[in-house]
Amino acid sequence: MYAIVDCNSFYCSCERLFRPDLQSQPVVVLSNNDGCIISRSDEAKRLGIDMGTPLFESRRRLADNRVAVFSSNYNLYGNMSLRVMDTLRTLSDDAEHRCVEVYSVDEAFINLAHLPIDRLQGFAERLREVVVQWTGIPVSIGIAHSKVLSKVANRIAKKNKQQTCCVLVLHDEAAIQHALESTDVSDLWGIGRRYARKLKECYGINTAWQLRHMPQEWARKKLGGIVGVRMIRELNGEPCIPLKDPLEKKKMIATTRMFGKPIFTLHELEEAVATYTARAAEKLRRQYGAAASVDVFLVYNGVAGQPYAYDPKHLYSRATLLQPTSDTAALIKAAVPQVSTLYRKGAKYLKAGVVLGDIVPDDALQGNLFGSSAGSDRRALMQALDNINFSMRDDIVKFAVSGLTRNWKMRQEMRSKRFTTRWDELYEVNGNL
DNA sequence: TCTGGGGTCCTAGGACCC
DNA sequence: TCTGGGGTCCTAGGACCC
């Protein structure tokens, strides 16, 4: 059996930890650049505020209903996520079994193969209790024979908090049938907008229960090949998506951002790309990797002075390195010249990104006849850089090409303090609390 | 005026090899 | 004039996830 543990309205729950006055108030959290609403408390959901709506469209409704609005604070959420995941591991792993797969910042799968069926409910209830006690974050838990079914269980648990107390074990056939009959195909994990529409319009398949009874060969042809076959089997309770090895490394590392405001000059674009490259290189070194390709892309939308229409266009290029590296300077040297190749004067740039690819472990690097020797001094330099930036303040030491003014930096006008990761922003307790 | 960021997996098709 | 078969590797693009 598999469990999926999912933090309820995760970002909103994090904000509430340090604002107990908002416990039963509507809360939303915005995406980077304060663009869209990406997390909503139950109260906000009930107000009809949809996931992903742009802030400017909902400003009125937010104000009318006194919704607390926060910019995203990834330092806080990342740290709270670590605490939740540590708690899950403490309660689920034992000497022989590593059972937890961290699936996203607010979700984890747990392999429960070693627990007898009659102990699942109790285990889940205790898990939920301890997580909220140790971290303050409420979670929902779904348990079933496969990952896809556990997702179904989780969704139902979360939707019916009153009856389920956020825990649902889907085990006997009758319960599974009932659950699948009440689940729309579009709500299945692995069925996106495209497939949902195709299933409904072309095949008249509306519920997960109907989909479960389709033949695997049909799924192979019509539902993304092997992916579709797995979906049918998982729905039938046959696990086909195993737990992922936590030691697996990323195959690509990207840093991409919208600008705080549109920019026009080559110089500013180069600054941004250099900055993103440095950030991506940090992530790369954190997993002891080296990259052999550096992709750069720019997104622009129209030209200055013309009427506004949202129709973004992409420019994309790639540089391939002779030798994989994690050296920020070398990666910047590969990335920045691409900007001038892509650049078109007069265009209004909204966004840029850097993607590091062809990643290999950095301890297995081949020497190169034409390159400098392995460069352990460079590696030491990069380590020193990372240590300083980590312990002092983001980017206190940086490459000059990254720029000093940074007019393009993203907007975060309503960000809470980084309560758990910065000494100078610690939560203060005073007499009024 | 204002629309997020960071990933994964799979398939089809072309290039190339013997 | 006739013009195979089997395989690998790579890339672009589509679909999905949170």
Side-chain angles (χ1 to χ4, degrees):
Chain A
M1 300 286 275
Y2 287 93
I4 178 80
V5 181
D6 184 328
C7 302
N8 299 346
S9 307
F10 182 53
Y11 295 171
C12 292
S13 299
C14 291
E15 296 296 347
R16 276 178 170 165
L17 285 177
F18 297 90
R19 288 289 305 275
D21 56 304
L22 297 176
Q23 204 46 244
S24 39
Q25 300 296 310
V27 177
V28 300
V29 175
L30 306 176
S31 64
N32 270 336
N33 227 19
D34 295 344
C36 304
I37 292 167
I38 54 168
S39 180
R40 306 155 296 150
S41 70
D42 285 342
E43 298 78 11
K45 288 176 193 169
R46 263 182 252 126
L47 289 172
I49 296 167
D50 287 331
M51 181 73 176
T53 40
L55 174 63
F56 71 91
E57 279 178 15
S58 15
R59 271 231 157 82
R60 187 66 199 266
R61 193 189 305 227
L62 295 174
D64 288 351
N65 294 285
R66 299 169 177 279
V67 179
V69 181
F70 292 91
S71 301
S72 38
N73 182 346
Y74 289 107
N75 298 72
L76 177 60
Y77 312 149
N79 183 253
M80 290 313 303
S81 175
L82 288 179
R83 297 179 190 208
V84 171
M85 300 309 168
D86 277 346
T87 308
L88 296 181
R89 277 187 283 262
T90 303
L91 297 177
S92 311
D93 286 354
D94 57 37
E96 298 107 84
H97 308 94
R98 296 239 169 286
C99 304
V100 179
E101 173 196 343
V102 176
Y103 176 66
S104 74
V105 69
D106 70 333
E107 277 179 62
F109 286 105
I110 306 179
N111 185 347
L112 299 174
H114 56 290
L115 269 190
I117 299 286
D118 59 358
R119 287 187 45 203
L120 294 172
Q121 181 76 27
F123 172 80
E125 284 169 10
R126 175 167 153 71
L127 199 62
R128 187 181 137 72
E129 219 175 274
V130 175
V131 171
V132 84
Q133 188 186 355
W134 290 5
T135 68
I137 301 290
V139 299
S140 298
I141 304 176
I143 298 181
H145 289 99
S146 66
K147 283 184 169 178
V148 167
L149 288 177
S150 72
K151 280 280 204 176
V152 170
N154 182 285
R155 195 173 152 277
I156 295 173
K158 195 176 287 191
K159 253 177 53 184
N160 309 291
K161 292 200 172 86
Q162 301 294 330
Q163 299 100 292
T164 62
C165 296
C166 295
V167 172
L168 181 63
V169 179
L170 222 46
H171 175 247
D172 65 88
E173 263 312 305
I176 294 174
Q177 174 170 358
H178 184 253
L180 293 183
E181 280 173 344
S182 64
T183 300
D184 192 284
V185 281
S186 64
D187 291 324
L188 282 171
W189 182 57
I191 301 292
R193 262 210 310 276
R194 281 264 174 30
Y195 283 149
R197 206 176 140 194
K198 184 167 165 187
L199 286 171
K200 290 180 186 184
E201 290 180 3
C202 305
Y203 303 100
I205 297 170
N206 294 293
T207 67
W209 182 247
Q210 288 174 296
L211 183 58
R212 177 198 223 208
H213 292 96
M214 295 302 288
Q216 292 182 25
E217 267 323 295
W218 169 86
R220 187 184 304 280
K221 291 193 198 99
K222 308 293 182 190
L223 210 60
I226 193 163
V227 180
V229 174
R230 271 204 301 248
M231 168 64 68
I232 304 290
R233 291 166 62 169
E234 286 256 325
L235 281 174
N236 280 282
E238 183 188 339
C240 313
I241 310 173
L243 228 54
K244 252 183 39 191
D245 181 352
L247 297 178
E248 260 176 55
K249 304 283 195 259
K250 299 258 162 56
K251 293 163 187 160
M252 52 166 271
I253 290 174
T255 300
T256 75
R257 299 243 186 303
M258 298 279 301
F259 304 127
K261 58 183 187 213
I263 64 179
F264 298 92
T265 69
L266 176 60
H267 178 71
E268 285 175 305
L269 284 173
E270 287 174 338
E271 267 186 24
V273 165
T275 304
Y276 300 168
T277 307
R279 180 75 55 248
E282 261 174 36
K283 296 184 204 167
L284 181 64
R285 291 192 288 272
R286 223 175 291 147
Q287 70 166 40
Y288 304 105
S293 70
V294 184
D295 296 5
V296 171
F297 69 87
L298 306 176
V299 179
Y300 67 96
N301 188 33
V303 293
Q306 283 188 5
Y308 182 83
Y310 191 61
D311 179 27
K313 300 190 177 58
H314 289 68
L315 302 164
Y316 204 96
S317 74
R318 164 170 299 179
T320 308
L321 304 174
L322 280 174
Q323 191 178 15
T325 183
S326 62
D327 186 321
T328 298
L331 293 167
I332 285 180
K333 256 183 215 162
V336 169
Q338 296 183 58
V339 181
S340 51
T341 319
L342 296 174
Y343 181 72
R344 300 178 189 179
K345 209 160 177 224
K348 190 168 151 187
Y349 294 91
L350 306 178
K351 176 179 183 174
V354 173
V355 185
L356 305 181
D358 297 330
I359 295 173
V360 296
D362 76 349
D363 54 10
L365 288 189
Q366 297 259 327
N368 181 310
L369 192 54
F370 307 104
S372 57
S373 59
S376 61
D377 51 342
R378 294 296 301 182
R379 208 170 298 184
L381 175 65
M382 287 300 124
Q383 184 137 47
L385 184 79
D386 290 340
N387 286 340
I388 293 169
N389 284 335
F390 177 74
S391 61
M392 316 269 283
R393 192 159 61 72
D394 295 341
D395 272 355
I396 200 163
V397 180
K398 63 194 173 204
F399 286 78
V401 62
S402 305
L404 297 171
T405 50
R406 300 192 169 183
N407 293 324
W408 39 268
K409 272 190 76 166
M410 68 183 179
R411 286 189 306 266
Q412 282 193 315
E413 284 160 10
M414 295 155 279
R415 204 194 64 210
S416 49
K417 290 186 179 175
R418 289 164 286 193
F419 297 108
T420 62
T421 53
R422 286 294 186 86
W423 286 112
D424 52 350
E425 297 183 20
L426 277 183
Y427 191 72
E428 287 178 29
V429 179
N430 62 43
N432 299 328
L433 280 173

